[in-house]
Amino acid sequence: MNDAHLHLIVNHFPIIGTIFGFGILLLGLILGNTTLKNTAYGIFILAALFGLASMATGDGAEEIVADMPGIGKQIIHEHEEIAEKLALLLDVLGVVSILGLFLNYKKQAKAKLVSYLVLVIACVAVFVAQQVGTSGGEIRHSEIRPNATAAPAPAGTESTTSEDKD
């Protein structure tokens, strides 16, 4: 197993975890359910930890795929720049989530305020996570790049549509 493989294993949870955590926290706020809020905080803390793991394996993954045909360093650089922003957001989200857990445990009045702060940070993180996921996917999946075009048919094959048969 190399760094590219490890990166692929750990890089999905920060994105998916942030999305799920946001939804669970929103539901917890709507229902006034502390257990749901604490669950969301736990998910955000895990997302932050997996974000650290993603960043730790990113450089090794870059070294492995940067010189592959059709990839190039520019697309990886763009992904890396956005990923660094997400990592910072997730670090803040994780720390504030720890504070939220502590305040809920102590039944502090400021716990509700912190939960709204976490919701705002998580909302921004979801937006950035979507960008990170898309830019990461574009590295190996050229078909989802904005400038993607249909690949030409392999030599010796013909396209047969219903119009061609008439």
Side-chain angles (χ1 to χ4, degrees), residues 14-56:
I15 297 168
I16 295 167
T18 303
I19 295 167
F20 280 133
F22 176 81
I24 292 168
L25 180 59
L26 185 61
L27 188 61
L29 285 167
I30 291 169
L31 299 176
N33 186 315
T34 302
T35 301
L36 285 175
K37 290 187 246 180
N38 288 342
T39 300
Y41 294 152
I43 292 171
F44 291 142
I45 293 165
L46 281 173
L49 293 172
F50 273 86
L52 291 172
S54 292
M55 292 302 293

Side-chain angles (χ1 to χ4, degrees), residues 98-163:
I98 291 169
L99 176 63
L101 278 173
F102 177 76
L103 293 176
N104 278 343
Y105 177 73
K106 293 290 186 176
K107 297 184 184 343
Q108 294 286 323
K110 298 214 187 256
K112 190 168 188 174
L113 178 65
V114 169
S115 63
Y116 283 106
L117 177 61
V118 170
L119 186 70
V120 170
I121 297 168
C123 184
V124 174
V126 165
F127 175 75
V128 175
Q130 181 276 326
Q131 293 178 325
V132 170
T134 299
S135 67
E138 288 173 351
I139 292 172
R140 291 289 291 165
H141 295 282
S142 59
E143 72 275 11
I144 66 170
R145 294 178 189 164
N147 58 350
T149 58
T157 61
E158 293 185 33
S159 173
T160 55
T161 64
S162 59
E163 295 168 1

